Amino acid sequence: ILEEADFKGEDFNLFQVAGQKCLEDGYAAQLLEVIQNEKNKVIIKNMGWNLISPLVRCIFMYKQEDDKREHCLKILDQLAQLCNPKELFLGLLEQIEQTSGEQVCQTVMLLLQPLQTVLLKLQNKKAYSVGLSLAMIMNQLTPLPVPYTKQQIQEDKLGLCQCCKAVVDFAKPFVNEVVKNMEKSSEYNDMELKEELLKFCMKSLKYPLLTAQLEQLEGIEEHPFRHFATEIIDILWDIRELMPLVFLHRKDKSPHWENEEFADVERKNSADSLACLSYLMFVQHFGIDCFPMVFSPSYILQCNMTHIEVLLKRTEESMLSKGLDLFESCLLRMEDNSLLHQYLEFRDFINVPQDLVKVMTLCPIEHLRKKSLNILQLFIDKFDAEGKYTLFRCLLKTSNHAGVEGYIIKNIKDQIHLSLTKACDNIWFTGHHLISLLDLVLLLPEGAETDLLQNSDRIMASLNLLRYLVIKDCESDNQTGVWTTLAKIEQNFLKPLHVGLNMSKAHYEAEIKNKKENRREAHSSNTVCSVTVSGEKMPAMTTEMQLQVLHSALFTFDLIESVLARVEELIEVKIKAVMDGNS
């Protein structure tokens, strides 16, 4: 009966205790009557928000079909209609903040409708309150694991898939409000609500979309994360932020932080979100209908290189695969030999192939390693001759991996072959340019001391290249310049290789002899060799296994030696033929 001004602190406590007792003792129907009674309007308006916490507890306590649960849900709906919006807003937000673990999605989905009702009633600080609500919801969802496999998505154990759909529905009235206001005035000034919705979209791109599996899955009619992605792209389009995000990267919009650490986190989060947005548009084609078809494929590649670099630096399969897919998608739009060498002046065009090499050599997931190798070849194929030349030089200097170096040397051989067989002269893979490149290829990194086994891929590729040059390029033509620089090649490559082979073979033969002599003794004492890789102990090696490895190494040396002998024989024959011709 009291008026608002007459309420005291103890009245609030008394109301909360009484309401909680009613709910706990199963009198939800009677409590609903009290709340619906017109006489209690003032007290409910001012004190009703105190019932949120016990109400949520009771709703989760009752089973789905229980009448008492139904009464509790009706009470929640009534409170949303009758309570002071500001106080109820804080009560609902506090309840969302306090939830954790398996109940996060259930709590969020339960409270989204009343929270939306309250926010639509708020007059002051509406944009701030909407932003706070969306930020709180996303912060609570972010620690949850994102379902990745088809089975996980179908099970949706924690309810994240359903929750994402519900959160987008929650945001829609506020999106519509922004759209209406923008339609009314071309100079829409109330940017606050728009900015809050933009922040929500950026957070959604980072989580769950960056982590989610977004390929079409057989047997799932409406893929929940594909649906969520579509909705997020639609919101960005509706609030006129999609194109600025894709092309301008909103550098001017990033907030200014006094604390440099906060600024770094903000930049990283923004980079992740923008990378995911590019993946959605250019790989999955979400929102591609809105995309202006006026940009050249090379410009689209240039715009995406920053995003590709961000994704390739990640180690998680979901993100790494998105980076590879985005890179491949951009490259497939281009004609071979159409990418100008000047693009290599952009930092990203040098960094990305180096990151690709790291994926090829260090990623534990085989199909991603194979895919990255195919994409590197695709990247090489798209450059003009000077671009290929520059890229080869860069990768030979930076890859620090014999297998990759061997692969690049094979590519160099292919380019030389094209130059020698084509009618048009390619200055980058003949003459003095090629000589400069061969200086990087036809040498042993540490002279005769080079670990030949570790570098066998590179050495075999170099010998095969040299053999090709000697066979294809006559000394009288000397198109490649190899005959001019033969003395240097012998000094830097062939002679040290001979010495290295002799040293390595002698060392391994001595090891084999030693192992064989000690085999009986090792067998009787059951001695084994333990190997540790990356801090993990590998299965123990028996003497037989060790001998097998040593023999395999000797076989590699024999193979190198046979190709080396063939190269030297070819050189000798060619020189003799020239001398005979001269005489």
Side-chain angles (χ1 to χ4, degrees):
I1 304 164
L2 293 172
E3 284 304 311
E4 202 170 319
D6 300 323
F7 289 135
K8 296 177 185 169
E10 52 265 34
D11 295 330
F12 284 88
N13 291 338
L14 191 63
F15 176 81
Q16 186 177 1
V17 171
Q20 190 168 327
K21 187 88 174 103
C22 285
L23 288 167
E24 285 169 359
D25 292 350
Y27 295 117
Q30 287 82 343
L31 182 60
L32 179 60
E33 284 176 25
V34 169
I35 289 169
Q36 287 173 329
N37 189 331
E38 187 68 23
K39 289 180 187 173
N40 301 323
K41 190 169 69 175
V42 177
I43 200 166
I44 297 302
K45 182 187 173 187
N46 288 279
M47 299 187 189
W49 66 273
N50 282 300
L51 293 175
I52 292 295
S53 183
L55 197 56
V56 170
R57 276 201 304 276
C58 287
I59 289 170
F60 288 143
M61 193 171 68
Y62 297 127
K63 289 194 169 69
Q64 201 75 28
E65 60 282 353
D66 198 318
D67 286 347
K68 288 174 184 169
R69 188 177 194 275
E70 206 51 48
H71 291 136
C72 289
L73 290 169
K74 282 180 180 168
I75 292 171
L76 185 60
D77 185 51
Q78 284 293 307
L79 293 178
Q81 303 300 331
L82 301 171
C83 287
N84 180 316
K86 186 182 170 186
E87 285 170 344
L88 186 59
F89 166 68
L90 294 172
L92 290 167
L93 223 51
E94 186 182 10
Q95 195 58 41
I96 291 171
E97 186 182 17
Q98 285 171 358
T99 186
S100 62
E102 292 185 8
Q103 284 203 326
V104 169
C105 289
Q106 288 173 282
T107 306
V108 169
M109 283 192 285
L110 176 69
L111 300 181
L112 278 176
Q113 189 55 58
L115 187 59
Q116 187 189 66
T117 305
V118 169
L119 285 168
L120 289 168
K121 286 182 178 182
L122 283 179
Q123 299 304 316
N124 300 327
K125 291 195 171 179
K126 184 177 186 176
Y128 170 77
S129 303
V130 169
L132 190 60
S133 304
L134 289 167
M136 178 72 71
I137 291 162
M138 293 309 289
N139 287 347
Q140 288 295 78
L141 295 179
T142 302
L144 302 178
V146 178
Y148 192 71
T149 65
K150 179 181 170 181
Q151 188 183 348
Q152 288 171 344
I153 290 170
Q154 284 173 323
E155 281 177 6
D156 193 20
K157 208 171 177 182
L158 297 176
L160 183 66
C161 299
Q162 291 177 65
C163 199
C164 287
K165 187 178 186 305
V167 173
V168 167
D169 291 339
F170 166 81
K172 277 181 180 172
F174 309 110
V175 175
N176 293 338
E177 191 176 318
V178 170
V179 171
K180 270 184 197 165
N181 288 332
M182 285 195 297
E183 282 170 356
K184 274 184 207 166
S185 161
S186 56
E187 293 178 17
Y188 172 52
N189 292 321
D190 183 16
M191 298 300 287
E192 281 184 28
L193 187 54
K194 182 178 169 178
E195 279 297 317
E196 295 300 345
L197 290 168
L198 179 60
K199 282 180 202 168
F200 161 65
C201 289
M202 291 292 275
K203 279 185 180 172
S204 301
L205 288 165
K206 183 171 167 61
Y207 175 93
L209 292 174
L210 187 60
T211 314
Q213 157 71 272
L214 290 163
E215 298 294 336
Q216 285 281 17
L217 294 171
E218 204 179 318
I220 297 183
E221 203 168 313
E222 188 177 53
H223 189 311
F225 294 120
R226 287 181 69 84
H227 173 79
F228 185 63
T230 306
E231 296 281 8
I232 293 298
I233 296 282
D234 285 349
I235 292 174
L236 287 171
W237 176 254
D238 288 342
I239 64 172
R240 300 177 191 173
E241 286 293 340
L242 185 59
M243 287 303 123
L245 279 180
V246 173
F247 288 110
L248 306 180
H249 300 172
R250 294 179 57 85
K251 281 174 187 163
D252 55 326
K253 296 273 185 174
S254 54
H256 177 71
W257 293 96
E258 295 288 326
N259 185 324
E260 196 53 43
E261 212 173 302
F262 284 164
D264 285 344
V265 170
E266 183 70 31
R267 273 194 294 271
K268 187 179 178 306
N269 287 340
S270 177
D272 285 346
S273 300
L274 292 170
C276 184
L277 178 62
S278 272
Y279 169 81
L280 292 175
M281 283 201 77
F282 295 107
V283 180
Q284 296 297 338
H285 302 134
F286 291 114
I288 204 74
D289 298 345
C290 318
F291 190 76
M293 295 298 174
V294 293
F295 300 109
S296 69
S298 51
Y299 178 70
I300 290 173
L301 176 66
Q302 185 193 336
C303 287
N304 278 310
M305 282 304 255
T306 309
H307 308 315
I308 292 163
E309 187 180 359
V310 165
L311 294 170
L312 291 188
K313 285 195 184 331
R314 303 301 289 261
T315 53
E316 304 91 329
E317 182 181 359
S318 58
M319 299 178 202
L320 200 47
S321 62
K322 284 183 178 68
L324 293 172
D325 287 344
L326 180 57
F327 198 9
E328 183 180 46
S329 170
C330 292
L331 291 172
L332 288 172
R333 295 165 187 268
M334 307 185 71
E335 297 286 327
D336 284 357
N337 309 309
S338 66
L339 192 58
L340 301 174
H341 62 273
Q342 285 92 338
Y343 278 97
L344 287 167
E345 292 170 20
F346 293 113
R347 184 182 56 84
D348 301 333
F349 277 78
I350 291 293
N351 290 352
V352 166
Q354 290 177 6
D355 290 333
L356 207 52
V357 165
K358 285 177 189 160
V359 178
M360 282 161 51
T361 54
L362 301 174
C363 178
I365 304 159
E366 187 185 5
H367 74 94
L368 293 183
R369 287 201 306 274
K370 285 180 177 174
K371 183 161 187 168
S372 59
L373 177 62
N374 294 336
I375 292 170
L376 179 64
Q377 188 59 59
L378 205 55
F379 188 55
I380 291 167
D381 293 343
K382 299 305 168 189
F383 272 102
D384 60 17
E386 188 178 344
K388 288 183 176 76
Y389 178 88
T390 308
L391 190 58
F392 293 155
R393 288 188 73 91
C394 167
L395 290 173
L396 282 171
K397 286 179 179 178
T398 59
S399 69
N400 298 317
H401 188 280
V404 176
E405 288 162 5
Y407 187 77
I408 297 302
I409 292 165
K410 183 186 172 298
N411 262 280
I412 292 170
K413 178 171 159 274
D414 293 342
Q415 290 305 313
I416 295 168
H417 179 70
L418 284 172
S419 301
L420 293 177
T421 51
K422 268 183 175 175
C424 59
D425 187 29
N426 182 348
I427 61 162
W428 293 98
F429 292 96
T430 55
H432 71 276
H433 286 303
L434 178 60
I435 295 300
S436 171
L437 193 55
L438 292 179
D439 286 345
L440 291 175
V441 172
L442 301 175
L443 90 162
L444 290 180
E446 281 118 42
E449 302 292 317
T450 302
D451 183 336
L452 301 187
L453 200 59
Q454 191 78 35
N455 286 278
S456 61
D457 286 346
R458 180 201 164 106
I459 292 164
M460 286 297 286
S462 300
L463 285 170
N464 281 325
L465 171 59
L466 185 54
R467 179 172 61 178
Y468 171 83
L469 292 171
V470 171
I471 292 170
K472 276 283 178 189
D473 194 14
C474 299
E475 193 176 354
S476 54
D477 294 339
N478 197 21
Q479 281 178 274
T480 60
V482 71
W483 295 100
T484 317
T485 191
L486 200 56
K488 192 177 181 183
I489 292 168
E490 284 181 343
Q491 190 62 38
N492 292 347
F493 184 53
L494 301 179
K495 281 182 183 173
L497 185 54
H498 265 298
V499 177
L501 279 168
N502 292 335
M503 285 162 56
S504 299
K505 285 177 79 174
H507 172 71
Y508 277 80
E509 279 163 358
E511 275 291 308
I512 288 171
K513 190 181 175 189
N514 190 29
K515 292 280 176 222
K516 282 179 176 174
E517 283 172 3
N518 295 336
R519 181 157 41 180
R520 190 173 299 145
E521 183 191 329
H523 183 69
S524 60
S525 63
N526 204 18
T527 306
V528 288
C529 167
S530 69
V531 179
T532 305
V533 177
S534 301
E536 281 190 39
K537 210 166 186 185
M538 303 300 283
M541 284 178 77
T542 62
T543 307
E544 286 303 326
M545 288 161 80
Q546 292 173 55
L547 278 168
Q548 212 175 334
V549 170
L550 293 168
H551 279 296
S552 174
L554 272 182
F555 176 75
T556 303
F557 299 144
D558 286 341
L559 199 61
I560 293 172
E561 197 167 39
S562 69
V563 181
L564 174 59
R566 178 70 182 133
V567 168
E568 289 181 326
E569 185 189 324
L570 285 165
I571 292 170
E572 201 177 312
V573 168
K574 284 275 181 124
I575 290 172
K576 191 172 182 296
V578 170
M579 286 170 72
D580 289 349
N582 290 341
S583 62

